[in-house]
Amino acid sequence: MSEQLKHECGVVLLRLLKPLDYYIEKYSTAFYGLNKLYLLMQKQHNRGQDGAGFAAIKFDAAPGIGYIDRQRSNSATPIKDCFTPVYDSLQKLADENPEKLMDAQWLKNNVKFASELFLGHLRYGTYGKNDISTVHPFIITNNWVSRNIVVAGNFNMTNSDELFKDLVALGQHPIETSDTITILETIANHLNKANDDMYRKFKAEGMYKYDISRRIQKEMNVLDILKGASAKWDGGYVFCGMLGHGDAFVLRDPAGIRPAFYYHDDEVVVITSERPAIQTAFNVPAEEINELPAGHAAIIKANGDFSIKKCHEPLPELKQCSFERIYFSRGTDKDIYQERKRLGALLLPEVLKSIDNDLRNTVFAYIPNTALVAFNGMFDALRDHCNEVKKRKLLEKKEELTPELIDKILSIMPRFDQVAVKDMKLRTFITQDNQRDDLVAHVYDITYGVVNKNVDNLVVLDDSIVRGTTLKQSIIRMLDRLHPQKIVIASSAPQIRYPDCYGIDMSRLGEFVAFQAAIALLKERNMEYVINDVYKKAKAQENYPKEEIVNYVQEIYQPFHAAEISKKIAELVRPDDIHAEIEVVYNSIENLHQACPNHKGDWYFTGNYPTPGGFKVLNKSFINYIENVKERPW
């Protein structure tokens, strides 16, 4: 994506199912879990640039010894800066007392992260501040082991205000209103209630307090706690937690918006946001890795028992995020790889139309690197198309074929060149807008001489076009320096028309170039009454319950075909000082569904939100646009 979007967060929950002695004997290290955690987090590094953190819980620690360890960083290299001090301390121990590294009990009593249970998090801070206090995991501590909780997740709630009010109604006084803290406190409240209920029950049975504590830990019903805590959650989430005594869980939303995958054998249970991370870390085939079902919780008891339990009824039609497939998840997943290739291939007919099938005078390229897989799919389809053209021409000319004519026909093939290369060393540290824009325009180096001046078309494939600002300020100007007669910007994603509220920084409707184009068309055609009517309808339902809110914003787009909006987008992103003709081509919704048939979460493109809170956020986002309010719409 040539214009960077803030990413979705990533999670890792790792449970070792054997005693530490087992891993010392088999793998010659008591830090097998820590090493795997590091690898699992690194292999999801694309999901975290603003911070990283991990925590661990030791089992059966003696009283007086800490059993919850945590490390967090919000530096420019957060994973490295989390793990480096831990590994440095281990190296120092190895130098001073090498024999201690093989003593599991001594390590558990004296060394951090000599543990059996780990929770890692990669943060992409899509909203709000980015100081260390916002970096997961979060911890609520208590002297009662079973009341401690560590949480982290990939989530965003649309109804944090409602959840906050519920906490206040209970008599609490939360000091923050963020959805992370609100959810943490909600779970902690239900955890405490479960502890209290069991304590009263076992005390009435005449048990001693120490025995009560052990009994509570053994009989803790994690599923009931999750059901109660998440009953009113509205959003997309994969929420992970560890309890002080060793129970752990991962809960996925009923629409399946956020992804989660798990692997289980006799040594480990591991759950991550992306499947290839598990494949790489444990060298297992994709077929042995399962997707956590929507609305279900993976629960690992302190004794190692692992189960998948239904927490909430999954939606009749799941809405797994399609943007995961287009851009966010790594393309190394075998299914995502093929889906991205299909997106590129399905876009080809529109691209051919835009260049009037003139392949001899067209250069194909892609920006940025994440668009490579979709480009490969388009290029494969191009080769097939050229082969069909050559076959047809050979059959048509079979009576008059000459070696020269055969050579000419066989020379019909797509032209590909590496037109743009990102300069990874360039840093846009200048803060003044006019100077910074000039620097941004040179983030990419271009390859001169590959385009025939004023003759060739230049087709550039991108993952998606959201705001269009980078295109106008940088990319198109850069490409125009090659002097093509026409530049075609092709998006493997459809037009992004609606805001996201489930974890991506696409919440301000007025920033979307597709929305800007529709508004511009309405004004050009003296249809501003449509804008006013939508505003009145949106304002009238502003205080409705989220379940009653209707998507009236779709009326902004209804008067126009997608091609009309694309044409206006091309006008909006075209700088005044360039010479080439500009055309913008988007994939269709139909092509998206064909390429990604099992991931139907398309609200960015259609406005069909998977939860009621999505419609409320959309409604507020439109009101904010009209009233020129810049704040987040929930």
Side-chain angles (χ1 to χ4, degrees):
M1 192 171 296
S2 55
E3 48 185 323
Q4 184 184 11
L5 288 179
K6 294 280 187 153
H7 224 302
E8 297 172 0
C9 298
V11 296
V12 178
L13 182 72
L14 175 62
R15 170 69 154 89
L16 304 185
L17 298 176
K18 304 285 188 180
L20 287 187
D21 296 283
Y22 171 89
Y23 302 95
I24 291 174
E25 182 177 348
K26 183 172 181 178
Y27 299 106
S28 300
T29 177
F31 297 95
Y32 174 83
L34 185 68
N35 295 338
K36 290 298 184 184
L37 179 71
Y38 173 73
L39 183 56
L40 289 161
M41 290 178 69
Q42 281 287 10
K43 290 305 176 182
Q44 296 184 105
H45 194 184
N46 58 306
R47 306 184 80 92
Q49 303 295 329
D50 292 340
F54 61 93
I57 289 180
K58 298 174 182 176
F59 293 175
D60 302 320
I65 292 178
Y67 55 92
I68 301 178
D69 301 315
R70 179 177 64 170
Q71 198 83 3
R72 297 186 295 175
S73 172
N74 65 335
S75 71
T77 54
I79 299 178
K80 174 178 175 289
D81 291 343
C82 274
F83 281 89
T84 296
V86 177
Y87 281 121
D88 284 350
S89 66
L90 294 179
Q91 185 60 52
K92 183 179 179 181
L93 177 64
D95 294 340
E96 297 175 353
N97 300 286
E99 72 285 354
K100 297 294 188 183
L101 290 177
M102 297 295 111
D103 186 338
Q105 192 56 50
W106 186 89
L107 288 169
K108 289 178 71 171
N109 289 339
N110 294 277
V111 179
K112 289 185 175 182
F113 301 106
S115 308
E116 297 93 340
L117 179 60
F118 300 86
L119 177 56
H121 187 265
L122 299 149
R123 182 180 190 270
Y124 230 127
T126 52
Y127 310 108
K129 59 186 178 180
N130 184 33
D131 58 41
I132 195 67
S133 68
T134 65
V135 179
H136 302 209
F138 294 92
I139 304 176
I140 289 182
T141 59
N142 193 290
N143 277 343
W144 292 87
V145 174
S146 58
R147 293 176 187 261
N148 287 271
I149 183 167
V150 184
V151 298
N154 173 17
F155 64 92
N156 201 72
M157 299 299 167
T158 68
N159 64 331
S160 299
D161 54 343
E162 295 178 31
L163 302 175
F164 181 83
K165 290 175 182 176
D166 286 347
L167 289 176
V168 174
L170 290 171
Q172 293 192 20
H173 188 96
I175 60 173
E176 287 190 41
T177 60
S178 70
D179 57 359
T180 302
I181 298 301
T182 302
I183 290 172
L184 174 58
E185 293 289 352
T186 302
I187 294 178
N189 178 61
H190 284 267
L191 176 63
N192 286 332
K193 184 178 182 302
N195 273 274
D196 291 341
D197 290 345
M198 285 191 286
Y199 183 85
R200 285 191 293 267
K201 175 187 174 184
F202 298 142
K203 185 178 181 181
E205 294 176 3
M207 295 180 64
Y208 291 106
K209 288 184 178 180
Y210 181 80
D211 293 331
I212 289 176
S213 177
R214 290 290 182 175
R215 184 82 175 272
I216 287 173
Q217 294 174 29
K218 183 178 180 181
E219 298 189 16
M220 182 72 69
N221 191 323
V222 176
L223 183 63
D224 281 353
I225 292 170
L226 294 177
K227 283 182 177 180
S230 62
K232 293 185 178 181
W233 291 1
D234 185 295
Y237 55 85
V238 168
F239 204 82
C240 309
M242 306 185 297
L243 305 185
H245 62 277
D247 285 357
F249 64 86
V250 177
L251 176 61
R252 191 179 184 196
D253 66 86
I257 296 171
R258 298 278 76 90
F261 299 88
Y262 69 90
Y263 170 73
H264 176 214
D265 62 21
D266 63 340
E267 290 188 355
V268 300
V269 176
V270 57
I271 304 170
T272 61
S273 295
E274 298 188 35
R275 181 168 60 180
I278 300 175
Q279 290 182 253
T280 299
F282 293 95
N283 192 27
V284 293
E287 292 72 26
E288 293 185 19
I289 301 169
N290 298 294
E291 187 172 3
L292 181 62
H296 285 62
I299 298 174
I300 313 165
K301 294 294 292 179
N303 65 4
D305 288 347
F306 173 68
S307 61
I308 303 294
K309 302 286 188 180
K310 184 165 70 176
C311 187
H312 299 292
E313 196 65 41
L315 296 188
E317 184 178 38
L318 299 183
K319 297 289 184 179
Q320 301 102 317
C321 175
S322 57
F323 234 146
E324 283 282 349
R325 323 303 283 183
I326 297 169
Y327 174 66
F328 285 130
S329 288
R330 287 196 181 195
T332 51
D333 184 281
K334 70 184 185 73
D335 294 333
I336 291 175
Y337 184 82
Q338 294 303 326
E339 289 167 9
R340 290 182 184 175
K341 289 191 72 174
R342 284 199 293 272
L343 283 167
L346 291 168
L347 185 57
L348 180 60
E350 285 299 315
V351 171
L352 291 175
K353 191 187 302 181
S354 71
I355 60 172
D356 197 25
N357 289 290
D358 184 5
L359 293 177
R360 291 189 185 279
N361 297 306
T362 300
V363 175
F364 292 85
Y366 61 90
I367 300 176
N369 289 344
T370 51
L372 174 59
V373 178
F375 182 81
N376 287 341
M378 177 181 286
F379 209 70
D380 286 348
L382 264 171
R383 280 196 292 263
D384 292 342
H385 171 77
C386 289
N387 287 337
E388 288 300 318
V389 171
K390 287 184 275 191
K391 185 188 301 181
R392 186 179 69 250
K393 287 184 177 293
L394 286 170
L395 290 173
E396 289 173 352
K397 304 287 187 178
K398 62 181 180 181
E399 303 298 334
E400 49 193 274
L401 286 177
T402 63
E404 293 76 16
L405 181 57
I406 291 173
D407 285 343
K408 183 177 180 181
I409 293 173
L410 292 179
S411 70
I412 300 173
M413 60 183 65
R415 295 167 56 193
F416 159 68
D417 276 296
Q418 190 78 47
V419 168
V421 180
K422 194 167 187 178
D423 185 351
M424 301 304 293
K425 299 183 183 68
L426 193 61
R427 294 290 182 266
T428 54
F429 54 85
I430 295 175
T431 56
Q432 291 85 355
D433 287 345
N434 58 341
Q435 296 178 48
R436 190 176 188 278
D437 288 348
D438 181 65
L439 191 59
V440 168
H442 296 86
V443 167
Y444 286 91
D445 292 327
I446 56 172
T447 308
Y448 294 96
V450 298
V451 173
N452 296 319
K453 292 184 178 181
N454 304 316
V455 173
D456 283 342
N457 305 305
L458 178 56
V459 175
V460 177
L461 182 68
D462 199 347
D463 306 286
S464 66
I465 304 166
V466 184
R467 302 180 181 100
T469 50
T470 306
L471 278 178
K472 184 169 186 174
Q473 295 172 3
S474 174
I475 300 297
I476 291 176
R477 279 198 173 95
M478 173 192 72
L479 298 175
D480 190 60
R481 295 204 296 270
L482 298 175
H483 303 290
Q485 67 155 340
K486 183 177 185 178
I487 298 172
V488 179
I489 306 295
S491 168
S492 65
Q495 294 171 3
I496 294 175
R497 299 181 172 191
Y498 301 94
D500 181 66
C501 53
Y502 303 115
I504 307 168
D505 66 333
M506 299 195 308
S507 62
R508 295 180 178 90
L509 189 58
E511 295 179 353
F512 301 158
V513 70
F515 180 78
Q516 296 167 13
I519 292 292
L521 288 170
L522 289 171
K523 291 179 178 179
E524 285 177 8
R525 300 182 188 183
N526 296 317
M527 298 174 66
E528 286 157 294
Y529 64 87
V530 174
I531 304 172
N532 295 330
D533 287 347
V534 172
Y535 174 64
K536 290 176 183 176
K537 293 175 182 176
K539 197 69 177 175
Q541 62 177 359
E542 185 175 18
N543 296 315
Y544 284 11
K546 62 183 183 297
E547 291 79 10
E548 298 178 15
I549 291 181
V550 176
N551 178 1
Y552 291 116
V553 178
Q554 61 188 348
E555 296 177 13
I556 297 292
Y557 299 101
Q558 281 176 350
F560 314 113
H561 295 296
E564 293 178 272
I565 294 176
S566 294
K567 184 177 180 181
K568 176 53 67 175
I569 290 172
E571 295 176 17
L572 294 177
V573 301
R574 187 185 194 278
D576 296 331
D577 55 349
I578 70 162
H579 301 92
E581 178 187 350
I582 304 296
E583 186 170 351
V584 176
V585 176
Y586 285 88
N587 235 327
S588 67
I589 300 295
E590 294 75 19
N591 284 348
L592 171 67
H593 292 166
Q594 184 177 339
C596 309
N598 298 318
H599 289 74
K600 298 179 180 179
D602 60 6
W603 58 91
Y604 321 94
F605 318 113
T606 64
N608 296 326
Y609 288 90
T611 74
F615 295 100
K616 184 173 184 177
V617 170
L618 169 63
N619 198 68
K620 183 62 175 176
S621 185
F622 182 76
I623 293 172
N624 285 354
Y625 163 75
I626 296 294
E627 297 179 355
N628 198 29
V629 175
K630 302 300 183 184
E631 66 184 25
R632 176 181 168 187
W634 75 96

